[in-house]
Amino acid sequence: MLHLGALGEADAVVKSDVAVPVALVQATKAFGGTIALKDASFELRSGEVLALLGENGAGKSTCVKLLAGVDLPTGGHIEVDGKPVVFHSPHDAQAAGISVMHQHPGLFPDLSVAENIYLGHMPRDRFGGIDNAAVLAGARKVLATVGLDVPAETRLGTLRTSEQQLVEIARALSLDARVLIMDEPTAALSQREVERLFTVVADLRLHGVAMMFVGHRMDEIFRIADRIAVLRDGRLIGIKPKAELGRAAAIGMMVGREVTDLYPERNHATGALVLEARGLSHAGGFSNIDLKLHAGEVLGLGGLVGSGRTEIARVLFGIDQPDAGEILIDGEAVHFASARDAMDARIAYVSEDRMGQSLVMDFSILDNAVLPVLDKAARSGFYGTDRAIDLVSDWLKRMKLRFSGYGQPVKELSGGNQQKVVLAKWLRTEPRVLILDEPTQGIDVGTKAEVHAMIADLAAQGMAIILISSEMPELIGMCDRIIVLREGHRTAEFARGEATQEKVLEAAMKADKRADPAAQAASEEKRKGPLDILKRREFGLLAAMLAVAIPVTIINPRMVSAANLTAVSMDAALLVVAALAQMLVLITRNIDLSIAAVIGLSAYMAASMVQAYPGLDIGIGLMTACAVGGVAGLINGLVVTRGKIPAIVVTLASMSIFRGFNSIWAAGDQISADEVTQAWLDMTGLKIAGVPLIVIIAIVILCLGYVLLYRTAIGRELFAAGSNPDGARLIGIPVDRRILLAFGMAGLLGGLCGALWASRYATIDARVALGFELTVIASAVVGGVAIRGGSGTLLGIILGALTLLVIKNGLTLVRVDPLWLQGVYGLVILVAIGIDTFIVRRAEQARQARAR
C-alpha cells in the first residue's frame, strides 16, 4: 500500500509489510462547490494507532465519515485488504470490520444503555427476535472493559455526558472490529476515564486492531500515536512516525506557521475588585464558596468533571439561584433573578455546551451573533439586518472567522469557527466580567492560540475573566490564580508561578472524608421503596380513573353495570387500536392528524364492499379496509420522507383529502345495518366466554404490537429513529425507511380500525370518526407517548385510552353537556404534556445530580 507522507516538497513513497485492513487512496470529497478533502491517501495498519491532526475544517471529520460509510468520496476510493470498495452506508463499513466512536455520540437517551451498545447489531434468538439475555451479558462485559459501573438496563438519558461518551466507546468495542476510529473520544472525559480509554487502546493494539485517533490535545496525541498524519485546508501535508515529529513541527504543519505563543506573556497589573462571592452555595452543586475577581485578572477554576465548576458559573450568571451566600459587584450585594439581570450587570457567560446552550444550530451566523443585543438591532421594534451586521461584524472579523456569508447556518461551520461566533456574540455585549467555560474544548491548536491571545488582550484592557478548563496546561499557562474544587468544595488556591499540574491534580483528587460513597448508596437504596410507584405516570392514570369512576358510581350506579362496562370495553378496543397506530408514528418524531379520516374512509369503503358482495362479507370487508388504510399510510409516509415535508403539514392536508374523497364517494348515502350481512355485524358483537370479540381482536393486535416494538430489532430502531434521528443514521439505521414503515403500519391499523368500526356501529356514512383524531392523539399523549419522539409504552396508551373513555362515560352518566367533552380532552392533553415536560426536567436534574 502506498501513502503520501513527506514534509516539504519531497513526497516519500513507503511500502509497509504490516497488514493494512483499510486505507484511503487519493480520496477527494466536495460538498457543492466546497472541497473538504483533496487527494488524501493514508493507511491504517494492524496493531498501530495513526493520529490525525489538523485545524478545525482541515478535513479530519470528512476522513472519518468516508471511512465510516457516512459519506461517499467524490474522487478516489477506499481500500479494504488492498481491494477497492464502496461503502454505501455505515452498515457496509461495519460489515468490513470498521467501528467508529463519533465526536458527537450518536446515542439514544430514551433507550437503555444495553440497547445503545447493541442497536444496529442486536443478538438474535432462534426465533429471530432480540436475545435480551445476550444483549445484557454482552453490554455488561464491554461496560466493565471501559470502566463504567452502571446497570446495563439504565436509561441512557440519566447518565452524565462523560458516562455517555464511555457508552459510545463501549458500543464501538461491542462490534469486535478489526479497525477502530476514534473521533475526539476524550473531549468529555475526566482524566481517570481518559486513562481507562488508553488502557483499552493499549490492549487493542496488542490484539492487532488498526486504530485512528482524531484529537486536538497534543499530550494525548504524542502519548497514544505510533504515526501522525497532518491535514491542512483539506490536504494531507505529511505522515511521520511519532519519534520523527516533534510537537512544534506538528503544530507548524497544522497551521502553516510556527506557533510560539500558545500561552502569551501577561505582565500587566490587576485592578480593583469587581466581583466577589461570599459563602456561596447551591444544593447538590457546591457549598460555601468564596472567591474574588479583580479587573484585568484571569481567575481559573480547576477540578475534575462534576467538581462544581460549571454550577458556580451558572449561579454567577443568574441561570441558577444560590441557596446561601451572596454575590457582590463593586462591593455591593446583588441578586440575579435571571441571566438578563447578570447581563445588565455586564456579565457574560460562554457555556461549555456549545451546541446545546451557546448556539441555535439552525440559525445563521448573524442571527446567533446578534441574539444578546437583539434590542439594539430592532429599533422601534423592527429588526434590521444592516443594523445587526454593523453591531457584530467588527467582532466577527477580530475573531478571524472563516465563513461564506452572514446568512450561512452556524451548523455548517467547524467547531473552532462555531466557538468564535459564541465568543463574538458575548463580547459584543461589552462585559466587565467574562466567564469562559471550556472555551477551547474541541478546537484546534491554531484557534486555541488565537483564543488565548484574545483572553490575554481582554485582560490587559481591564476585563475580569473567569476561566474554567479541564486542561491543566491551559489553566497554568493563562491564569493569575487558580481555585481548585473537589465535589463542590474549595480545596486549594495557587498563585501564578506556584501551580504545577501535579499540585492542581492532587488538590482536585483530594479525598473527601465528609462523604462515604457506600453510605450514600445505602441511603439512596433506602429512599427507594413502594412509594416510588406514586411517581409513575401509570399510577397517575389509574388514580384519575378512580377519581372519576367512584363519585360517578355513587351518583349513578349504572357506571359499573355489566352493559355499561361491556360498551366501554368495546369502545376502548377501537380506541386502543387507533392509539397504537398513532404511537407508531409519534415514536419516530412525527404525527398523523389523518388517522380519523383514514378510519372513516376505510369504514365506508369496507361497508360498501360488504353491501356489494355479501357472499364475501368479512373477508372482502377486512381486505378492503386494510388496503385502503395501508395505501393512505404509505402515501403520508412517502410525502414525509421523500418530500421532506413536516408530518403535521402532510397529514393535515391528507386529512382533508381523505375526508373529501369519502364525501364524494358516499355522495350523501348511508349504509345501514339491514344493508350488510349479520356475519359482518357479529364480527365485533359476538362474545366468547363473555368477552366481546372486538376486545379479543384488540388484545391480539396489542400482543403483536408488543412483539414488534420490544422483541424485534426493527421495533427498537423505530424508537431510535425518534430519539436521535441523526445518531440513528450514523450507525446505519435507515431512518426514512423506518418512518415510512411506521406510517404504513399506522395506516394499516387505521384501516383495520375502520373495519371494526363499521361492524361495531353498523350504520355508516361519510362522517364516520369525525373529530376522532383528537381523542386518538389524546390517548397516546396522555398515556406517555412523547411528542418529541423516542418514548412511549403500550401499557401507557391502554391506560390513556381507558382514562379518556372513563371521563367521557362518567360525564355522560351525570348528564354533562357532550359539547364539554372536547374542552375536557384538550385540557387533559395540556396536563399530559405538562407532566411529560416535568418528567423530562426531573430526569435532567437527576442526570446533573449524578454529574456532581
Side-chain angles (χ1 to χ4, degrees), residues 536-676:
R536 295 179 61 87
R537 179 191 294 270
E538 289 83 356
F539 180 87
L541 292 175
L542 286 171
M545 279 189 276
L546 291 175
V548 172
I550 291 173
V552 170
T553 300
I554 294 172
I555 297 172
N556 189 342
R558 285 181 55 202
M559 180 81 177
V560 292
S561 68
N564 188 59
L565 292 176
T566 298
V568 170
S569 69
M570 295 176 75
D571 289 344
L574 281 173
L575 182 53
V576 164
V577 172
L580 174 59
Q582 190 66 237
M583 174 182 173
L584 289 171
V585 177
L586 283 173
I587 61 175
T588 65
R589 202 174 285 195
N590 290 280
I591 193 169
D592 187 1
L593 298 178
S594 70
I595 182 66
V598 171
I599 291 172
L601 179 59
S602 301
Y604 192 84
M605 297 293 284
S608 297
M609 294 301 288
V610 173
Q611 180 188 33
Y613 302 97
L616 300 175
D617 50 18
I618 294 178
I620 194 72
L622 287 174
M623 288 177 59
T624 300
C626 291
V628 169
V631 169
L634 289 174
I635 290 172
N636 282 335
L638 285 170
V639 177
V640 169
T641 55
R642 299 291 176 84
K644 303 301 179 185
I645 302 173
I648 192 170
V649 176
V650 172
T651 56
L652 183 62
S654 64
M655 176 179 69
S656 298
I657 293 170
F658 297 153
R659 283 287 181 197
F661 181 81
N662 200 13
S663 297
I664 294 171
W665 184 272
D669 289 340
Q670 185 182 75
I671 300 174
S672 60
D674 55 5
E675 296 178 90
V676 295

Side-chain angles (χ1 to χ4, degrees), residues 327-536:
I327 300 171
L328 296 90
I329 301 291
D330 295 328
E332 295 185 8
V334 295
H335 173 70
F336 298 146
S338 67
R340 171 52 62 183
D341 291 344
M343 291 170 63
D344 290 341
R346 296 179 61 192
I347 298 176
Y349 171 49
V350 176
S351 166
E352 65 174 335
D353 185 0
R354 181 168 62 231
M355 299 178 68
Q357 297 179 13
S358 293
L359 294 171
V360 183
M361 300 305 290
D362 291 324
F363 278 20
S364 68
I365 292 170
L366 179 61
D367 289 342
N368 271 284
V370 82
L371 271 177
V373 290
L374 197 57
D375 55 335
K376 297 180 180 178
R379 294 175 184 170
S380 303
F382 293 97
Y383 176 77
T385 301
D386 291 340
R387 283 196 297 272
I389 292 174
D390 289 342
L391 284 169
V392 300
S393 59
D394 286 346
W395 273 110
L396 291 174
K397 289 175 183 176
R398 288 180 64 180
M399 291 290 146
K400 300 178 183 178
L401 183 70
R402 298 179 185 176
F403 65 113
S404 60
Y406 292 109
Q408 182 181 4
V410 76
K411 64 184 177 183
E412 295 180 0
L413 299 177
S414 66
N417 282 305
Q418 288 176 354
Q419 188 71 344
K420 289 179 180 180
V421 174
V422 175
L423 291 167
K425 154 181 140 177
W426 284 112
L427 290 173
R428 182 57 189 84
T429 64
E430 300 177 355
R432 296 179 63 203
V433 176
L434 177 62
I435 305 172
L436 300 171
D437 196 349
E438 303 285 6
T440 62
Q441 186 179 83
I443 65 176
D444 59 77
V445 68
T447 305
K448 190 175 292 188
E450 293 174 4
V451 171
H452 290 163
M454 179 207 70
I455 293 173
D457 183 54
L458 293 172
Q461 295 175 32
M463 188 178 294
I465 300 172
I466 294 177
L467 175 62
I468 300 170
S469 177
S470 297
E471 294 190 43
M472 296 296 179
E474 184 171 64
L475 280 177
I476 295 168
M478 291 301 303
C479 298
D480 298 295
R481 287 184 298 125
I482 300 173
I483 293 175
V484 186
L485 302 168
R486 158 76 180 178
E487 295 183 356
H489 291 267
R490 176 172 167 158
T491 59
E493 180 177 329
F494 300 101
R496 187 179 183 88
E498 294 178 354
T500 65
Q501 292 196 43
E502 292 75 16
K503 288 181 179 179
V504 174
L505 191 58
E506 181 184 359
M509 301 180 70
K510 187 179 295 182
D512 189 349
K513 297 179 181 179
R514 295 168 294 97
D516 180 0
Q520 286 183 344
S523 175
E524 189 126 347
E525 283 300 317
K526 287 179 182 178
R527 286 199 297 269
K528 295 180 180 179
L531 291 180
D532 269 5
I533 193 173
L534 298 176
K535 300 176 183 177
R536 295 179 61 87

